[in-house]
């Protein structure tokens, strides 16, 4: 029972002792499982079920009804005595992202120093909107962001960044800054101050947050033009150039291009230098969405670092340390070559929050007057006018802000830049290893032509003996019998009677992918799948396995083994079922 006569320090101490035991046990289970992978232990030696997730979690309704009393809010508090049970239940029905087989979305096992930072933030419970209430956290954010910006080659005197609530928010903020910088009048008068449509460009494989931001910011999603990609999922700069010119000739106002460092599905890196040339020629703001692949900036290998060539030409860059860098959710930064642009785009008078050095309201008049200047033709005299602010909310879309930068800071100080380089390079080695396993397995087909993946995702199909389970369509739209494994099944006979489209056949093939993915969960593997690429719809969805900085080779080989075993027995099951059906009908 929380008790006012008990000091808060003592109460916290008690809570931490109880929760600490549960939390350490939770992470320990993941370590034990990882060691079993390392020792190549057989499934039969590994205990009742994987620590990845409780089997009951697979059904929302079952879980909801079995947790009814847990979810009901009590009249009388459970107090210290009730706490262990509460924590235990939460952990039991959560996905253990530290489990070796969690290879699903782009985040993964949190690094322990990052977990500690979360706790520190909770104790500090402060707000990084103004310096006065977060002195060292403000300095940490400024320095960490500036360091990151330097790694990407943004090294000017005003380079730096801000922490943001996530990658989508980083991307959205970059659009606001771009618009308010390129068209300062929109700050006051809105998008209609520009006598024409404002247009943004992103690649066909870019993250959907760009469209979402366009919806929210009053452009509308149709203002986002998607530029086609090459076979490897990289934006075609010549297409961008053509489409920008086309938009201009329609009387529209292109002002922003989003290039991606590590696309969400394939992990492709757009050709930044060529895109920067187009951006410069047409005066577009160049944003690089490195939410995922930006972590490669820590790599020591030229082969990997080369993918980030040209990032120094960007106006802004997003990176999510909560993805590749193992920092607990959420931790994201928007970096920029000139933070004054961030401030001029977002500053507003709020005397109750921001005060200048004399203690009065901050004076934004100087920004208002500067707004009239052309943003890219300032003299060095103007440079002296601007001092990078310490009240960081003035640069952002937020007011109250979490000190998320501390989480990256502690992980980075703990492991050092060298430690991070090693972790990222090792992760890439494991991704290459898995990719080769897939390439060399006669029941799997790698999506990319290259053996080595472009980032940490390995994308592939289950194709027993080189064939898609339900076949593929040939040029005439007929199922090629030699291509399909399950030609005799009811599904295929039904398919053949209906309208034959690539997408319909793809649905059948997708079912196999989804079933395998689901069957892998109780065996300790959570992997995702993605819809077929354009023009390959008959293949259906493919597996996207995401390697992280804690993944070991043994987990990779174990996953591939399990996946093929499950797939093979699923195929056999469908065949048996189909034969059984045929017999009953005969
Ligand atoms: C994950 C991702 C985002 C979105 O980041 P959130 O933090 O989930 O909002 C944006 N862009 C890319 C390329 C991503 O992979």
């Amino acid at each position: 029972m929380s008790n006012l006569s008990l000091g808060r320090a003592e109460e916290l101490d008690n809570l931490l002792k109880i929760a600490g035991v549960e939390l350490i046990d939770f992470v320990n289970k993941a370590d034990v499982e990882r060691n079993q992978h390392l020792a190549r232990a057989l499934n039969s030696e590994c205990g009742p079920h994987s620590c990845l997730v409780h089997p009951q979690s697979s059904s929302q309704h079952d879980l909801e009804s079995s947790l009814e009393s847990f979810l009901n809010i009590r009249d009388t508090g459970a107090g210290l005595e009730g706490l262990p049970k509460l924590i235990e239940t939460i952990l039991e029905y959560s996905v253990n992202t530290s489990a070796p087989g969690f290879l699903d979305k782009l985040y993964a096992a949190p690094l322990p120093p990052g977990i500690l930072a979360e706790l520190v933030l909770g104790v500090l419970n402060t707000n990084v909107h103004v310096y006065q209430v977060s002195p060292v956290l403000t300095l940490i954010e400024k320095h960490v962001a500036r360091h990151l910006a330097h790694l990407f080659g943004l090294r000017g005197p005003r380079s730096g960044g801000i922490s943001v609530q996530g990658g989508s928010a980083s991307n959205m903020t970059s659009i606001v800054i771009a618009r308010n910088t390129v068209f300062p009048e929109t700050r006051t008068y809105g998008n209609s101050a520009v006598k024409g449509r404002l247009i943004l460009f992103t690649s066909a494989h870019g993250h959907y947050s760009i469209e979402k931001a366009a919806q929210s910011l009053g452009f509308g999603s149709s203002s986002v033009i998607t530029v086609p990609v090459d076979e490897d999922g990289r934006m075609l700069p010549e297409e961008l150039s053509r489409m920008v010119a086309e938009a201009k000739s329609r009387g529209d106002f292109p002002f922003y291009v989003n290039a991606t460092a590590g696309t969400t599905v394939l992990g492709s890196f757009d050709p930044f230098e060529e895109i920067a040339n187009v951006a410069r020629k047409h005066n577009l703001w160049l944003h690089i969405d490195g939410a995922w692949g930006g972590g490669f900036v820590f790599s020591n290998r030229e082969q990997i670092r080369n993918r980030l060539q040209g990032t120094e030409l960007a106006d802004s860059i997003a990176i999510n340390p909560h993805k590749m860098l193992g920092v607990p959710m959420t931790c994201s930064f928007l970096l920029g070559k000139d933070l004054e642009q961030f401030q001029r785009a977002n500053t507003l008078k709020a005397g109750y929050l921001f005060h200048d050095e004399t203690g009065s309201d901050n004076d934004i008049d100087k920004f208002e007057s500067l707004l009239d200047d052309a943003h890219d033709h300032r003299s060095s005299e103007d440079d002296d006018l601007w001092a990078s602010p310490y009240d960081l909310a003035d640069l952002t879309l937020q007011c109250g802000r979490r000190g998320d930068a501390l989480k990256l800071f502690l992980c980075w100080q703990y492991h050092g830049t060298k430690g991070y380089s090693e972790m990222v390079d090792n992760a890439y080695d494991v991704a290459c290893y898995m990719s080769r396993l897939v390439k060399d397995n006669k029941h799997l087909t790698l999506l990319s032509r290259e053996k080595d993946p472009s980032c940490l995702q390995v994308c592939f199909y289950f194709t027993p003996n080189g064939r898609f389970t339900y076949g593929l369509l040939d040029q005439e739209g007929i199922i090629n019998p030699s291509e399909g494994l399950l030609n005799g099944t009811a599904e295929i006979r039904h398919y053949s009677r209906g309208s034959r489209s690539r997408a319909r056949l793809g649905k059948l093939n997708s079912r196999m992918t989804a079933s395998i993915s689901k069957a892998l969960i109780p065996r300790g593997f959570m992997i995702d799948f993605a819809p077929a690429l354009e023009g390959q719809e008959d293949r259906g969805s493919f597996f996207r396995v995401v390697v992280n900085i804690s993944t070991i080779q043994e987990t990779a080989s174990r996953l591939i083994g399990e996946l093929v075993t499950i797939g093979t027995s699923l195929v056999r099951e469908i065949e048996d079922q189909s034969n059984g059906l045929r017999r009953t009908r005969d």
Side-chain angles (χ1 to χ4, degrees):
M1 180 76 24
S2 124
N3 185 339
L4 286 181
S5 67
L6 197 68
R8 285 170 301 185
E10 196 179 347
E11 187 179 1
L12 180 62
D13 189 33
N14 287 336
L15 297 185
L16 285 182
K17 277 183 186 134
I18 290 176
V21 173
E22 304 279 348
L23 294 173
I24 300 304
D25 180 55
F26 184 76
V27 177
N28 188 48
K29 281 182 190 149
D31 282 353
V32 167
E33 198 162 318
R34 193 166 183 256
N35 286 336
Q36 287 165 344
H37 285 199
L38 205 57
R40 297 178 179 272
L42 299 171
N43 275 342
S44 54
E45 301 162 2
C46 290
H49 67 81
S50 158
C51 74
L52 175 66
V53 61
H54 193 287
Q56 213 180 348
S57 306
S58 62
S59 153
Q60 305 87 309
H61 303 299
D62 284 0
L63 188 61
E64 199 165 9
S65 58
S66 81
L67 293 185
E68 202 184 320
S69 73
F70 164 83
L71 293 170
N72 257 339
I73 302 298
R74 308 154 189 266
D75 280 335
T76 312
L80 195 60
E81 297 72 38
L83 192 76
K85 183 74 197 138
L86 290 173
I87 301 288
E88 204 177 287
T89 308
I90 294 165
L91 296 178
E92 182 156 12
Y93 296 101
S94 290
V95 171
N96 195 334
T97 56
S98 296
F102 182 78
L103 304 166
D104 190 309
K105 308 289 190 261
L106 304 162
Y107 62 94
L111 293 172
I115 301 175
L116 181 66
E118 282 284 10
L119 196 60
V120 173
L121 287 177
V123 172
L124 295 180
N125 190 39
T126 197
N127 198 325
V128 195
H129 50 14
V130 294
Y131 174 82
Q132 177 163 301
V133 293
S134 52
V136 73
L137 290 185
T138 298
L139 300 183
I140 285 173
E141 178 168 338
K142 282 170 74 81
H143 282 255
V144 166
R146 198 165 152 75
H147 248 84
L148 278 176
H150 277 202
L151 289 182
F152 282 102
L154 303 176
R155 291 170 170 274
R158 294 169 179 218
S159 73
I162 48 174
S163 82
V164 190
Q165 316 93 301
S168 303
S170 290
N171 289 342
M172 178 166 176
T173 306
S174 77
I175 296 174
V176 172
I177 296 169
R179 182 199 58 191
N180 292 357
T181 304
V182 181
F183 303 105
E185 62 278 20
T186 57
R187 250 178 62 107
T188 311
Y189 301 105
N191 294 339
S192 61
V194 182
K195 298 289 165 239
R197 291 191 73 191
L198 295 172
I199 301 289
L200 306 89
F201 295 85
T202 187
S203 94
H205 285 193
H207 193 261
Y208 77 101
S209 53
I210 301 294
E211 278 92 339
K212 195 170 237 186
Q215 280 180 5
S216 318
L217 299 173
F219 302 118
S221 52
S222 70
S223 300
V224 179
I225 296 183
T226 47
V227 182
V229 293
D230 67 14
E231 288 179 340
D232 299 318
R234 295 153 44 96
M235 185 194 287
L236 292 164
E238 58 278 16
E239 283 298 295
L240 171 69
S241 176
R242 186 183 64 74
M243 292 168 114
V244 173
E246 213 172 79
K248 277 183 159 174
S249 69
R250 278 196 305 267
D252 293 343
F253 288 83
F255 74 100
Y256 177 97
V257 56
N258 169 60
T260 309
T263 55
T264 309
V265 175
L266 296 185
S268 317
F269 288 75
D270 287 333
F272 305 123
E273 283 176 338
E274 287 156 274
I275 293 170
N277 282 337
V278 179
R280 194 177 309 122
K281 183 169 152 206
H282 294 283
N283 212 7
L284 309 182
W285 183 278
L286 172 58
H287 174 67
I288 295 180
D289 177 1
W292 164 235
F296 269 5
V297 82
F298 280 91
S299 173
N300 256 331
R301 307 228 188 107
E302 210 166 314
Q303 173 208 10
I304 300 177
R305 288 296 313 263
N306 277 347
R307 285 162 211 194
L308 292 170
Q309 233 165 45
T311 56
E312 71 281 2
L313 305 168
D315 293 291
S316 57
I317 300 174
I319 176 171
N320 277 4
H322 75 233
K323 284 185 167 169
M324 196 186 289
L325 300 179
V327 175
M329 297 271 288
T330 47
C331 182
S332 175
F333 286 85
L334 179 66
L335 312 172
K337 70 162 198 275
D338 179 357
L339 285 189
E340 190 193 352
Q341 292 173 325
F342 285 37
Q343 188 176 27
R344 285 208 278 164
N346 287 316
T347 191
L348 273 178
K349 215 170 199 130
Y352 47 83
L353 182 62
F354 302 116
H355 313 295
D356 72 9
E357 252 143 48
T358 62
S360 60
D361 297 354
N362 76 326
D363 178 14
I364 63 164
D365 293 346
K366 74 178 177 208
F367 295 115
E368 294 297 350
S369 71
L370 282 171
L371 287 177
D372 301 331
D373 301 350
H375 71 282
D376 48 357
H377 295 296
R378 262 181 285 105
S379 66
S380 54
E381 238 170 276
D382 295 326
D383 282 346
D384 300 334
L385 274 180
W386 190 77
S388 173
Y390 286 78
D391 291 344
L392 295 178
D394 204 28
L395 278 66
T396 73
L397 298 177
Q398 290 169 270
C399 171
R401 307 171 64 247
R402 265 174 66 81
D404 284 331
L406 177 69
K407 293 184 281 181
L408 175 61
F409 179 76
L410 269 195
C411 292
W412 201 344
Q413 293 292 44
Y414 185 88
H415 290 286
T417 307
K418 283 187 187 144
Y420 257 132
S421 300
E422 264 167 42
M423 288 190 273
V424 168
D425 287 340
N426 283 341
Y428 185 68
D429 285 342
V430 174
C432 290
Y433 173 79
M434 189 186 295
S435 183
R436 283 179 199 142
L437 287 182
V438 170
K439 183 114 182 166
D440 297 342
N441 191 305
K442 64 176 190 222
H443 303 306
L444 302 173
T445 302
L446 207 53
L447 222 83
S448 77
R449 295 165 303 160
E450 309 282 337
K451 223 185 223 173
D452 291 343
S454 51
C455 198
L456 299 183
Q457 298 101 310
V458 183
C459 297
F460 60 95
Y461 282 101
F462 173 60
T463 50
N465 289 309
R467 298 189 297 176
F468 278 79
T469 42
Y470 288 96
L472 294 178
L473 288 194
D474 66 11
Q475 297 299 25
E476 279 79 48
I478 312 286
I479 294 187
N480 185 343
S482 68
E483 285 278 8
L485 204 63
L486 297 175
N487 289 321
T489 58
E491 286 91 344
I492 282 297
R493 285 199 299 273
H494 181 76
Y495 171 83
S496 303
R497 281 198 296 271
S499 71
R500 297 170 199 175
S501 72
R502 263 180 213 289
R504 255 187 91 220
L505 185 56
K507 270 195 184 147
L508 290 181
N509 283 324
S510 293
R511 250 198 248 168
M512 181 54 78
T513 309
S515 305
I516 295 174
S517 167
K518 200 166 167 201
L520 277 166
I521 294 175
R523 298 181 185 225
F525 291 99
M526 203 172 266
I527 65 171
D528 206 0
F529 48 86
L533 299 183
E534 209 182 331
Q536 305 184 344
E537 288 82 358
D538 48 345
R539 299 179 176 214
S541 31
F542 54 84
F543 297 108
R544 183 196 61 164
V545 180
V546 186
V547 167
N548 64 65
I549 54 175
S550 310
T551 312
I552 49 174
Q553 284 194 356
E554 288 78 4
T555 296
S557 47
R558 196 180 188 93
L559 165 67
I560 298 305
E562 293 273 6
L563 191 145
V564 171
T565 308
I566 291 171
T568 310
S569 72
L570 274 176
V571 167
R572 205 167 301 135
E573 242 171 68
I574 300 171
E575 277 172 337
D576 288 351
Q577 236 171 32
S578 170
N579 290 338
L581 277 179
R582 218 171 309 166
R583 266 197 302 280
T584 24
R585 212 170 355 194
D586 290 346

